[in-house]
Amino acid sequence: MRIRILGSGAGGGFPQWNCNCANCRAVRAGESGFLPRTQSSLAASANGHDWVLLNASPDLRRQIEQNPELAPSGNDPVRASPIKAVVVTNGDVDHVTGLLTLREAQPFTVYGSARVLEVLAQNRIFNVLSPSCVERRELPLDTPIALKGAGADLGLSVEAFPVLGKIALWLEDALKANFGSVEGDTLGLKITESESGKAFFYIPGCAGVDAALASRLRGAALVFFDGTLWRENEMIEQGLLGKTGTRMGHINMSGPDGSIAAFAPLGVARKIYVHINNSNPALNAFSKERREAEAAGWAVGEDAMEVLL
Ligand SMILES: [Zn+2]
């Protein structure tokens, strides 16, 4: 199975269009140790021809150009795409708006939780993906299903499971508990190659590693995980946004309540951070935070990084 990080950044990407923080200034200036990052998405393929996207970011058009496997080629018909399916983990702008890039009457299948499909149905702009060629299929929770699209069986299954988190920012209801979030608003995914049984996890948004998630991940071969923040308060400290990680539904990397500590006893063979916010000091390849993450066995994901499983 081939797994390609299309975008390793969080919402806004790196640099973010309106951000002049130290990290964004450094990456704009081309300083050594800083790589630009597009917004959150992965692609996976069992046969190298047919691909599933895990989330569709606003940078999808650029990501397809950066990853030629995702563009038509050779003897393909005049209109064709290797992208046969898209699995969406929540309704975040950085995870659904790339669907609009996939208009132009190209058949594929969109998989999402009942909640996410409801969001797509309520926003009529997504009707540019005509139901006559783009099928929308509900992802059941905790039940693996075969991934199919445009007449292809991808040789992969997806199992969606709820993780701690929060409803998308633009859907928040301030009057309700946890802003109106319910189970299924934030999903983790387990993708399994049917033939080999090899599997990886993709969890780009997660507010905490509870006992259920820890037991699910224990001994996993490969996990791509929420790397939004280094510290709970870093966006406030840097004057970027008056919100903590907890408020945004994202666990931080460091500290006793962070993901580095939570994963330490789980025996995960390969751990890769994705969905990394531009405020995170671990983006700097020469920072002490990067050294600390790497010393704990983590890799900081980069765009176009490929992992074979
Ligand atoms: Zn910034």
Side-chain angles (χ1 to χ4, degrees):
M1 177 162 45
R2 293 171 67 185
I3 305 137
R4 181 75 61 87
I5 298 180
L6 302 184
S8 53
F14 186 50
Q16 178 174 310
W17 73 280
N18 65 341
C19 193
N20 200 28
C21 75
N23 275 350
C24 286
R25 279 201 307 274
V27 73
R28 267 192 204 100
E31 276 184 32
S32 147
F34 292 87
L35 288 174
R37 285 170 161 82
T38 61
Q39 296 169 79
S40 181
S41 178
L42 248 70
S45 177
N47 62 15
H49 299 294
D50 301 314
W51 290 80
V52 58
L53 303 186
L54 308 181
N55 289 322
S57 100
D59 297 319
L60 181 53
R61 183 180 170 282
R62 186 165 150 212
Q63 291 166 344
I64 292 170
E65 295 304 308
Q66 288 171 339
N67 296 276
E69 291 84 350
L70 300 179
S73 63
N75 295 324
D76 283 344
V78 289
R79 286 290 170 87
S81 172
I83 299 169
K84 299 296 195 284
V86 180
V87 182
V88 178
T89 59
N90 62 13
D92 278 358
V93 168
D94 50 333
H95 288 158
V96 299
T97 47
L99 291 172
L100 301 176
T101 299
L102 300 178
R103 62 197 187 279
E104 318 294 2
Q106 187 66 38
F108 65 100
T109 304
V110 178
Y111 293 86
S113 70
R115 289 275 282 178
V116 168
L117 293 185
E118 190 185 316
V119 163
L120 299 182
Q122 283 172 358
N123 285 269
R124 291 179 58 200
I125 193 168
F126 289 103
N127 289 346
V128 292
L129 303 174
S130 159
S132 65
C133 69
V134 179
E135 189 186 356
R136 300 180 188 186
R137 295 194 56 171
E138 185 181 333
L139 275 178
L141 295 181
D142 301 312
T143 309
I145 57 167
L147 283 170
K148 296 175 181 178
D153 181 335
L154 276 67
L156 300 170
S157 71
V158 58
E159 179 181 354
F161 51 90
V163 297
L164 295 175
K166 185 186 69 60
I167 195 169
L169 173 65
W170 62 280
L171 293 167
E172 286 185 359
D173 182 342
L175 300 175
K176 293 184 179 164
N178 197 18
F179 306 97
S181 308
V182 301
E183 187 175 84
D185 278 330
T186 305
L187 299 179
L189 303 177
K190 181 181 186 182
I191 304 290
T192 304
E193 187 179 40
S194 312
E195 199 175 304
S196 67
K198 291 177 177 175
F200 72 94
F201 290 88
Y202 173 57
I203 307 170
C206 183
V209 181
D210 59 7
L213 182 58
S215 82
R216 201 184 282 275
L217 298 181
R218 188 163 286 117
L222 172 64
V223 178
F224 296 89
F225 194 74
D226 184 344
T228 309
L229 302 174
W230 179 258
R231 261 192 313 278
E232 164 82 348
N233 283 324
E234 74 189 36
M235 296 197 71
I236 298 171
E237 288 166 3
Q238 295 179 38
L240 302 174
L241 186 71
K243 287 182 182 175
T244 62
T246 303
R247 171 64 185 83
M248 295 187 292
H250 293 291
I251 188 174
N252 39 283
M253 294 181 177
S254 67
D257 55 352
S259 53
I260 291 175
F263 273 71
L266 299 184
V268 174
R270 196 155 182 198
K271 303 174 280 192
I272 302 176
Y273 280 124
V274 292
H275 197 276
I276 306 156
N277 194 56
N278 53 72
S279 58
N280 192 324
L283 283 172
N284 177 355
F286 303 122
S287 64
K288 65 176 180 9
E289 290 85 358
R290 173 72 71 94
R291 280 199 304 278
E292 193 178 326
E294 288 177 347
W298 285 86
V300 173
E302 297 172 1
D303 290 16
M305 179 190 275
E306 182 162 298
V307 182
L308 299 175
L309 198 62

